[in-house]
């Protein structure tokens, strides 16, 4: 869809207050109520580009710094609390000398999480009890979709409670609560991993432990899809990477967390320890992520007057713009890449509101939508070359 404007529109034919260049941070990361981009603030001009380890440019909000905790608010801590750093790539925490307290990024955008799809239908509640006395060993070798996931607690005389062994790469989708009761343990066979998506309560209670034998946080990941506070409680220990964009993580009474955490807040009660892993991030394909920080320049909207004028760009407004359908054909080249190579893009010359005396009709916006299948870990990419403002929103 092409929308044509006159040169007198307040957002066109304007020199930005920060000068010409690349601006970031002024447009919401999510589409608005009308499924259109929305202006959220002044943003800033990019002085030097943020890059990935291949020196490819990335958006500043995608930058991942292993030495800084992305968190929504200052951690709340009681007395005798420890917050320090270690590097899991150098071995277990117990074999290292802990480092200083990490830094914090209170302005980092929180990711939008979604459950894995497609995924089998829920099979009801998943309940595990202690092996022995005729009970089979609790080894999990395949994905689970359940309403709730619970592990039976130990009796007061037991040295250890129910033990679950993860054998293989396992994903668990929990519609409601995930809870480990007293002295329960989740261990991993060599090379195995566990990923949990939970929509309500995530709780590890009373001397329970997850991934403390391997002590490799890359093998255990939790995505909190809900708004309920995550709880590690009463002498429990967990080693993993937690993502909780809409809820806090609470460590209570001598609990220990080893790994990475991204979330709205962190609460540490007495004698608890939060041990931040400074090893480089790994993506979902287990590739090491080593981004290079760019530099932000002057604050500026990039020439956009306000949210109202920006809303004109992607909606029809009587007396403000005119629109028409315009399609672009993507042609598959010899390398299997679909591309549209357009040296000069002037789709509405002498049409709609006209050229206004110029050689071409310059004052327009263009919105393109397409469906595609994304297969992870296959080096798929999207590349855009152009001289004007562009935003890409996926799903």
């Amino acid at each position: 869809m092409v929308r044509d404007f006159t040169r007198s529109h307040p957002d066109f034919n304007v020199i930005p207050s920060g000068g010409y260049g690349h601006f970031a941070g002024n447009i919401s990361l999510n589409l608005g109520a009308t499924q259109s981009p929305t202006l959220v603030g002044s943003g800033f001009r990019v002085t030097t580009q943020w890059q990935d380890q291949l020196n490819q440019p990335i958006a500043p909000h995608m930058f991942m710094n292993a030495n800084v905790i992305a968190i929504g608010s200052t951690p709340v801590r009681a007395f005798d609390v420890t917050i320090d750093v270690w590097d899991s790539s150098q071995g277990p925490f117990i074999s290292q000398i802990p480092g200083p307290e990490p830094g914090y990024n209170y302005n980092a955008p929180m990711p939008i999480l979604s459950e894995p799809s497609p995924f089998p239908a829920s099979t009801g509640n998943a309940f595990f009890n202690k092996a022995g006395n005729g009970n089979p060993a609790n080894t999990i070798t395949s994905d689970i979709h359940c309403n709730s996931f619970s592990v039976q607690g130990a009796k007061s005389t037991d040295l250890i409670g129910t033990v679950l062994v993860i054998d293989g790469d396992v994903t668990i989708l929990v519609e409601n609560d995930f809870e480990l009761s007293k002295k329960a343990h989740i261990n991993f066979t060599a090379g195995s991993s566990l990923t949990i998506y939970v929509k309500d309560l995530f709780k590890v209670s009373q001397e329970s432990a997850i991934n403390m034998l391997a002590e490799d946080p890359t093998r255990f990941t939790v995505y909190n899809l809900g708004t309920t506070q995550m709880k590690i409680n009463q002498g429990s220990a967990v080693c993993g990477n937690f993502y909780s964009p809409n809820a806090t993580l609470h460590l209570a009474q001598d609990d220990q967390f080893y790994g990475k955490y991204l979330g709205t807040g962190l609460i540490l009660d007495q004698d608890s320890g939060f041990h931040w892993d400074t090893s480089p991030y790994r993506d979902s394909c287990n590739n090491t992520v080593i981004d290079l920080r760019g530099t932000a320049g002057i604050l500026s909207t990039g020439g956009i007057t306000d949210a109202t004028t920006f809303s004109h760009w992607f909606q029809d407004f009587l007396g403000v713009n005119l629109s028409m359908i315009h399609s672009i054909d993507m042609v598959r080249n010899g390398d299997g890449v679909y591309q549209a190579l357009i040296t000069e893009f002037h789709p509405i010359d002498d049409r709609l509101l006209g050229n206004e005396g110029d050689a071409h009709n310059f004052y327009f916006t263009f919105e393109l939508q397409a469906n595609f299948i994304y297969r992870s870990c296959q080096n798929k990419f999207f590349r855009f070359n152009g001289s004007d403002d562009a935003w890409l929103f996926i799903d």
Side-chain angles (χ1 to χ4, degrees):
M1 177 71 72
V2 179
R3 289 184 174 86
D4 192 16
F5 299 78
T6 65
R7 74 172 75 226
S8 61
H9 187 277
D11 290 351
F12 290 79
N13 201 32
V14 174
I15 299 176
S17 59
Y20 292 121
H22 174 198
F23 292 85
N26 53 353
I27 306 303
S28 172
L29 301 182
N30 309 312
L31 293 175
T34 61
Q35 293 299 295
S36 300
T38 56
L39 182 74
V40 294
S42 62
F44 57 88
R45 180 179 176 180
V46 175
T47 302
T48 59
Q49 182 67 55
W50 279 254
Q51 297 177 320
D52 62 18
Q53 63 204 58
L54 300 178
N55 297 320
Q56 296 295 321
I58 59 174
H61 73 270
M62 297 173 64
F63 174 74
M64 301 181 73
N65 186 342
N67 295 311
V68 176
I69 300 177
I71 194 170
S73 60
T74 303
V76 177
R77 63 185 85 187
F79 57 88
D80 293 333
V81 163
T82 300
I83 302 180
D84 53 24
V85 300
W86 66 299
D87 185 348
S88 64
S89 68
Q90 302 301 312
F93 176 84
I94 58 175
S95 66
Q96 301 183 47
I97 299 175
E101 182 167 343
Y104 302 94
N105 181 1
Y106 301 116
N107 299 313
M110 294 290 120
I112 297 177
L113 305 180
S114 59
E115 64 184 68
S117 178
F119 211 72
S122 174
T123 56
N125 296 330
F127 174 76
F128 297 87
N129 55 15
K130 190 173 183 181
N133 298 322
N135 296 321
N138 292 297
T139 299
I140 301 176
T141 60
S142 58
D143 297 344
I144 297 174
H145 184 185
C146 56
N147 293 336
S148 64
F149 187 103
S150 58
V151 179
Q152 182 184 48
K155 298 178 181 179
S156 59
T157 57
D158 292 337
L159 295 177
I160 191 170
T162 304
V163 177
L164 305 183
V165 177
I166 305 300
D167 187 10
D169 295 323
V170 174
T171 298
I172 300 176
L173 172 61
V174 186
E175 296 292 334
N176 298 303
D177 298 347
F178 177 98
E179 185 170 2
L180 266 62
S181 298
K182 186 176 181 180
K183 296 183 178 180
H185 288 241
I186 296 181
N187 300 326
F188 297 74
T189 62
S192 296
S193 66
L194 173 62
T195 301
I196 295 175
Y197 294 82
V198 60
K199 297 184 180 181
D200 207 329
L201 176 66
F202 177 92
K203 185 176 182 180
V204 180
S205 297
Q206 295 180 289
E207 302 177 56
S208 293
I210 301 178
N211 191 29
M212 290 308 300
L213 293 182
E215 210 169 311
D216 177 359
T218 65
R219 297 173 64 180
F220 178 51
T221 305
V222 179
Y223 296 104
N224 183 8
L225 304 178
T227 58
T228 303
Q229 183 182 89
M230 308 177 76
K231 296 181 179 180
I232 301 174
N233 192 34
Q234 296 179 315
S236 296
V238 174
C239 181
N241 295 326
F242 282 26
Y243 299 85
S244 183
N246 299 300
T248 58
L249 172 64
H250 186 185
L251 276 63
Q253 299 176 319
D254 197 28
D255 299 297
Q256 305 296 319
F257 176 87
Y258 306 86
K260 287 185 170 69
Y261 166 72
L262 184 152
T264 60
L266 180 63
I267 302 172
L268 290 88
D269 288 346
Q270 59 268 27
D271 299 316
S272 292
F274 183 88
H275 313 290
W276 175 258
D277 176 19
T278 60
S279 68
Y281 279 94
R282 292 183 180 273
D283 62 20
S284 58
C285 303
N286 205 36
N287 297 311
T288 300
V289 178
I290 305 176
D291 294 336
L292 303 175
R293 182 189 294 275
T295 55
I298 188 171
L299 297 179
S300 174
T301 61
I304 302 171
T305 302
D306 54 40
T308 298
T309 61
F310 185 63
S311 69
H312 299 160
W313 291 30
F314 304 102
Q315 299 177 66
D316 292 336
F317 283 87
L318 184 64
V320 175
N321 57 29
L322 292 177
S323 65
M324 62 176 287
I325 299 295
H326 180 78
S327 299
I328 289 180
D329 293 326
M330 307 292 287
V331 179
R332 186 173 182 176
N333 67 16
D335 295 326
V337 176
Y338 287 89
Q339 61 183 9
L341 299 177
I342 305 172
T343 304
E344 294 285 339
F345 186 61
H346 304 293
I348 52 171
D349 278 357
D350 300 313
R351 305 169 76 177
L352 298 179
L353 296 176
N355 295 8
E356 298 186 82
D358 293 328
H360 300 285
N361 188 337
F362 292 109
Y363 305 107
F364 64 90
T365 62
F366 180 57
E367 177 182 356
L368 174 67
Q369 298 183 17
N371 295 321
F372 61 92
I373 296 174
Y374 175 74
R375 296 180 175 88
S376 61
C377 309
Q378 295 187 11
N379 297 320
K380 304 297 182 183
F381 66 91
F382 172 87
R383 179 175 294 137
F384 170 81
N385 292 330
S387 61
D388 291 303
D389 309 284
W391 296 275
L392 170 67
F393 297 86
I394 299 178
D395 200 40

